[in-house]
Structures are given as C-alpha cells and as structure tokens.
Amino acid sequence: MSIRAFTFWIGFLFLSPTLAAANCIGVVTAGGGIGFWGDVKKGAELAGRELAIPVHVRGAVEELNHSGQRSIIDFMVLSGCGGLVLAPTTSERKKDVLKLKADGIPTVYIDRDIGGASVSVIKTNNSQAGTLAGVEMAKALGGEGRIAVFRQNRQVTTTRRREDAFIKAAIAGGLEVVMDAYIGSNVGDARSLAFELLNKEIRIDGIFTPNESTSLGVIKALEALGLSGEIVHIGFDVSKDMIAAIKSARMFGAVVQQPFQMGYQGVRAVHQAMAGKRPEKYIDIGVVFVQKNNIEDAKIMNLLGLN
C-alpha cells in the first residue's frame, strides 16, 4: 500500500465513532478544500441536525481524482450509511450508483447529473448560468469588445456547459472571443497559465472564468500583471477572496450558485428515499449575478452566508 493510500485510510479510521453507525448519510463531494464544497458541507450538516441523523461529508482534494472519490464511496457504504449524496466526477459513477441501488442504498446527485439510477438531481442549470454570464459581459462592455474564456478542464461537464453557453451569449451580444484556453482545476495552475496567456501582446477587454479555482487564479494573475480592474472579469461561484475582489472593483462580478442549498436539500431528499418516499426528481437551485452595486444587499448577503 502506498503512503498516500495508507494516510487516506488512517484518516477515515479516526473519524467520529458515529460514522460506524448503521443509520447515517454519506455526502461525497467532487472536491475538498475550496469554499464551494465547504458550503455544501455546511448545508448537509444542518439538514442532518434537523433530521437527527449523522451526516458525514468527504471529498478528494483534486476533482479529477476519480479513484479517490470511488474509495470514499466504498468507505461510506462499508461504514453503514443507508443513503448517499454524490457530486459525481466521472460517468463511471453510474455503475457505482446502480450497484448501490441494488443494495438498497439510494443516491441523490448534487451539482451535476450523469444520468443513471439516482433518485433525485439537485443542481444549477449550467447552460442558463453561462448564458447569464455572457449577457452580463456584453452589457458591461457595451456590446463590443475582445474577450477571453479561461476554461477549467475539458473532463468537467458542468463548467464546460457554462463555458459554451457563455460564448454563445457573448457572441450574440456583439463580443469577439479572441482567446479560448483551459487553465486547470486548481488555483496554482490557473494563476500560472492565466499569467502566461495574459502576458502576450493581445488586447483583452473581458475575461470569463467558470468556477471558483479559475476565478481565483485569474484574480491573482491580473494582480501580478498590474491589470486588476482594467479588464472586466466575470467569474463563477464565490469565496471570501472573490467577495473582496468584487467590493474593491478588482473583479467585475460573479455568477453565484447556492451550494449550501445543494447540501441541505440533497440530504433531505436522500433521507426521504431512505424512508421509502419519492423525492422530487429534479430541483434547479438557481443562481444570482453578484457585482459591486448589489453585493451589500441583504438578500445577497444572506445567499452568500455573510449575515
């Protein structure tokens, strides 16, 4: 066994003793350290407290660590959890979900839908969200300008749908896409590649980034290049650093999902299924466009968990 694998399993052995209880819900995210999945965890744990059932949330640090996600699923099942909330990182998870169903363990998808035997899907309509970003970019640039799309990773379907819808809406709004590149799934890679691309002799009026890690990476790259606030940057999702960047006009705005509600409603839906009830098949969480002129609004602050 490798040192990494040994460390992974030892980490699970020292979880709360309630993990071994026969009646728990496992929440398996598509990532570990960034704010989006942290908010999913908060929502899931609140639902667990309200329902008086242990809820355990884990995710591999890297979203593309498919084997890591599979190991977490296996451990949740071996620990006796009777239901699973899952943000699948690969279409291969359909096989796992089908086996879970055969074993009497219902699965609810959050954040993305890969089809198969899930009992419910709770997520953002990513095409509509990308379209909203494209419309807002066209408005911000007055219907003309040269833009860059800094994508996350071609294997991630959620961000790919946002990116493609953004491009379509931006072009329809009169904008020209002059740069279209993948910059990676973590902040460090995103910063380095964005810095390299933006350091070229190409005029860019606007940038779209489709998730938290790419957004943070571009914020840092623009700062390093002395271009903060000079290029209209519209991101996706939210974090404390992104909020600070919007408030200081270093970032124009961001399309914000509701990850807290994904976790909260995901746990409630799978709890219904565990009780033999039929949860709503599809729930669109919805998004909001956050920018400097509305970020202090009470409703927005509540959505961002700042109240």
Side-chain angles (χ1 to χ4, degrees):
M1 179 183 291
S2 69
I3 292 175
R4 176 177 291 184
F6 178 77
T7 303
F8 174 83
W9 288 108
I10 286 296
F12 275 116
L13 290 175
F14 286 95
L15 290 175
S16 166
T18 56
L19 184 57
N23 191 24
C24 65
I25 292 173
V27 179
V28 183
T29 67
I34 62 175
F36 182 91
W37 300 114
D39 287 340
V40 167
K41 182 176 186 287
K42 291 176 186 176
E45 289 176 340
L46 175 60
R49 290 194 296 272
E50 291 178 353
L51 295 166
I53 185 169
V55 170
H56 306 286
V57 186
R58 292 293 184 274
V61 173
E62 291 288 341
E63 180 161 346
L64 298 180
N65 183 0
H66 305 315
S67 62
Q69 185 177 67
R70 172 61 187 273
S71 295
I72 295 170
I73 292 170
D74 289 345
F75 191 87
M76 292 292 189
V77 173
L78 288 171
S79 300
C81 288
L84 202 70
V85 178
L86 172 66
T89 61
T90 170
S91 61
E92 288 298 305
R93 290 291 88 85
K94 285 192 287 188
K95 298 176 183 177
D96 302 323
V97 173
L98 187 61
K99 184 178 185 305
L100 290 170
K101 180 181 179 182
D103 293 338
I105 301 172
T107 301
V108 169
Y109 290 148
I110 57 169
D111 190 54
R112 68 278 306 266
D113 181 12
I114 58 169
S118 68
V119 297
S120 181
V121 179
I122 301 169
K123 70 181 195 67
T124 297
N125 184 317
N126 287 291
S127 293
Q128 287 183 6
T131 297
L132 173 61
V135 169
E136 292 293 342
M137 180 68 80
K139 284 167 57 179
L141 293 176
E144 59 179 342
R146 296 159 55 88
I147 60 172
V149 179
F150 288 155
R151 300 175 183 257
Q152 183 191 10
N153 185 293
R154 70 180 70 250
Q155 295 181 49
V156 181
T157 57
T158 50
T159 49
R160 193 169 69 240
R161 287 182 181 131
R162 296 168 197 166
E163 296 151 1
D164 293 345
F166 169 84
I167 289 171
K168 185 175 180 180
I171 291 173
L175 308 183
E176 179 186 3
V177 179
V178 297
M179 192 177 290
D180 185 348
Y182 289 94
I183 63 172
S185 298
N186 64 66
V187 177
D189 288 344
R191 180 200 177 281
S192 298
L193 288 170
F195 182 94
E196 181 181 334
L197 291 165
L198 292 170
N199 205 27
K200 296 180 178 181
E201 296 293 325
I202 300 176
R203 193 190 95 231
I204 301 293
D205 302 306
I207 300 170
F208 173 63
T209 47
N211 77 321
E212 183 181 344
S213 61
T214 54
S215 297
L216 289 171
V218 167
I219 289 170
K220 293 177 182 295
L222 290 172
E223 288 173 351
L225 290 164
L227 296 174
S228 294
E230 295 185 21
I231 295 176
V232 175
H233 177 199
I234 292 179
F236 209 101
D237 293 328
V238 73
S239 69
K240 289 182 179 179
D241 288 342
M242 289 171 67
I243 292 168
I246 292 171
K247 286 183 175 180
S248 63
R250 290 176 291 126
M251 186 179 196
F252 182 80
V255 177
V256 178
Q257 303 183 83
Q258 299 186 61
F260 183 94
Q261 285 297 320
M262 285 186 193
Y264 181 83
Q265 295 193 42
V267 166
R268 284 196 160 271
V270 82
H271 188 261
Q272 280 185 293
M274 290 164 64
K277 300 176 183 177
R278 183 176 295 178
E280 191 171 346
K281 184 62 179 175
Y282 177 80
I283 298 174
D284 179 6
I285 293 296
V287 296
V288 63
F289 187 68
V290 176
Q291 57 191 119
K292 188 174 183 179
N293 66 8
N294 72 356
I295 199 167
E296 302 287 354
D297 181 87
K299 290 182 179 179
I300 299 295
M301 296 281 282
N302 185 58
L303 175 64
L304 301 183
L306 300 176
N307 284 342

